Amino acid sequence: MMESAEIAQDLGYLEIPDGLLIHPAQIRDFAPEKVCVLISGTQGEPMSALSRAAVDNHKHARIQPGDTVVLSSRIIPATRRPSIAWSITFPSRCPRYL
């Protein structure tokens, strides 16, 4: 995700002010209410970053009570089942799930 953001900046598609983008290892250096984490989901594959964060198996990101999870995705027939698993996992862990 970091590489994608950097490439988008280099190509002029994304403007991120200096000092706003941090390395994932720095997430814990900031108060939770000061951080917005963007995680790719790759259609619910078990080892995707979003799937790992949902079950506390991500190296840097943790979904905590009070967090808001926003999913922007389509249901693809072959991966419908993992999407349903997400909809069961997230609401039990965070009150704001969109």
Side-chain angles (χ1 to χ4, degrees):
M1 189 67 123
M2 288 288 294
E3 286 180 31
S4 297
E6 290 169 359
I7 291 169
Q9 279 186 286
D10 291 345
L11 295 174
Y13 293 112
L14 185 62
E15 291 183 29
I16 301 174
D18 289 340
L20 193 62
L21 188 64
I22 62 170
H23 187 275
Q26 296 174 289
I27 291 172
R28 293 190 180 122
D29 296 341
F30 294 87
E33 64 273 7
K34 299 290 184 185
V35 178
C36 175
V37 178
L38 302 178
I39 299 179
S40 61
T42 62
Q43 307 304 326
E45 293 171 6
M47 293 309 295
S48 71
L50 184 56
S51 293
R52 287 182 285 126
V55 295
D56 283 339
N57 192 22
H58 191 282
K59 186 175 182 178
H60 302 293
R62 300 278 184 269
I63 298 171
Q64 303 291 332
D67 287 350
T68 299
V69 174
V70 179
L71 298 178
S72 174
S73 58
R74 295 185 186 124
I75 294 177
I76 297 174
T79 59
R80 182 177 175 86
R81 193 172 199 180
S83 299
I84 292 169
W86 280 353
S87 66
I88 294 167
T89 302
F90 283 136
S92 65
R93 305 206 44 213
C94 54
R96 294 181 299 240
Y97 168 73
L98 309 169

